[in-house]
Amino acid sequence: MSSDFEGYEQDFAVLTAEITSKIARVPRLPPDEKKQMVANVEKQLEEARELLEQMDLEVREIPPQSRGMYSNRMRSYKQEMGKLETDFKRSRIAYSDEVRNELLGDAGNSSENQRAHLLDNTERLERSSRRLEAGYQIAVETEQIGQEMLENLSHDREKIQRARDRLRDADANLGKSSRILTGMLRRIIQNRILLVILGIIVVIAILTAITFFVKGH
């Protein structure tokens, strides 16, 4: 499981490094090359998002006692992904402003305020997106904890049920043993009574024989 996660990590590191390099080049490219580079970066950003989804799925399969370290790494990668997307948007905006200034000349100076306002709105959207993503992650982790608690309760219920079954079996065995012991005790008493009766009969017979023997003499 961790080997798959580490493989995705390596792919993500290589991909984000390429994206970072290309984003830095976007504002300096001519229009035709810039358009092609933007399309390429957008495709790679989508690939990076898919890698993050795969890594997130792998983390969910890791046992809870080992999941903390991977969850922290995932948060770092998601923050890095958000920064890449923000840098890409800024790079495109910077290039658009540069082209507009060249077309409008001095009139393009008014675009600085618009650019600043747009960047501010973009940053607010990014912060909101990160908060939503953090809330979603917390909800997912809470759901996982709830499922684990339900599973533990189910296991405990099964253990209690097995203990009750063993206790009933033990009670049944004790009852059977008690009946057997009672029967054995009854037979022992009967045998002793028979022995006493036989002893009395033997004594009477001996005394009778002695009496006849004495009278005969």
Side-chain angles (χ1 to χ4, degrees), residues 165-183:
D165 292 340
R166 286 195 294 269
L167 183 60
R168 281 196 293 268
D169 293 340
D171 288 340
N173 292 332
L174 286 174
K176 184 177 180 180
S177 299
S178 177
R179 288 192 297 272
I180 292 173
L181 289 174
T182 301

Side-chain angles (χ1 to χ4, degrees), residues 80-96:
E80 182 179 357
M81 186 67 194
K83 184 178 181 300
L84 281 177
E85 292 176 340
T86 301
D87 291 343
F88 180 52
K89 292 176 182 178
R90 288 177 177 175
S91 178
R92 295 181 64 180
I93 293 171
Y95 179 82
S96 299

Side-chain angles (χ1 to χ4, degrees), residues 137-194:
Q137 186 67 28
I138 292 173
V140 170
E141 292 177 357
T142 302
E143 181 182 1
Q144 292 174 346
I145 293 172
Q147 290 177 349
E148 292 166 3
M149 291 179 64
L150 288 176
E151 291 176 358
N152 291 334
L153 288 174
S154 178
H155 293 326
D156 292 341
R157 184 176 61 185
E158 292 177 358
K159 291 179 181 178
I160 293 172
Q161 187 61 42
R162 288 195 295 268
R164 287 177 177 175
D165 292 340
R166 286 195 294 269
L167 183 60
R168 281 196 293 268
D169 293 340
D171 288 340
N173 292 332
L174 286 174
K176 184 177 180 180
S177 299
S178 177
R179 288 192 297 272
I180 292 173
L181 289 174
T182 301
M184 292 175 63
L185 182 61
R186 187 181 298 111
R187 285 193 293 272
I188 290 171
I189 293 172
Q190 290 174 350
N191 291 335
R192 287 185 177 180
I193 292 173
L194 289 174

Side-chain angles (χ1 to χ4, degrees), residues 116-140:
H117 182 68
L118 182 59
L119 287 175
D120 185 58
N121 288 338
T122 301
E123 290 177 356
R124 281 201 295 267
L125 287 173
E126 290 295 333
R127 287 195 297 269
S128 298
S129 177
R130 285 194 292 271
R131 284 195 293 268
L132 288 173
E133 186 175 353
Y136 171 75
Q137 186 67 28
I138 292 173
V140 170

Side-chain angles (χ1 to χ4, degrees), residues 14-33:
V14 172
L15 190 58
T16 52
E18 292 180 1
I19 293 173
T20 301
S21 175
K22 291 177 180 179
I23 288 175
R25 293 166 53 194
V26 167
R28 300 191 297 270
L29 293 174
D32 293 339
E33 294 183 15

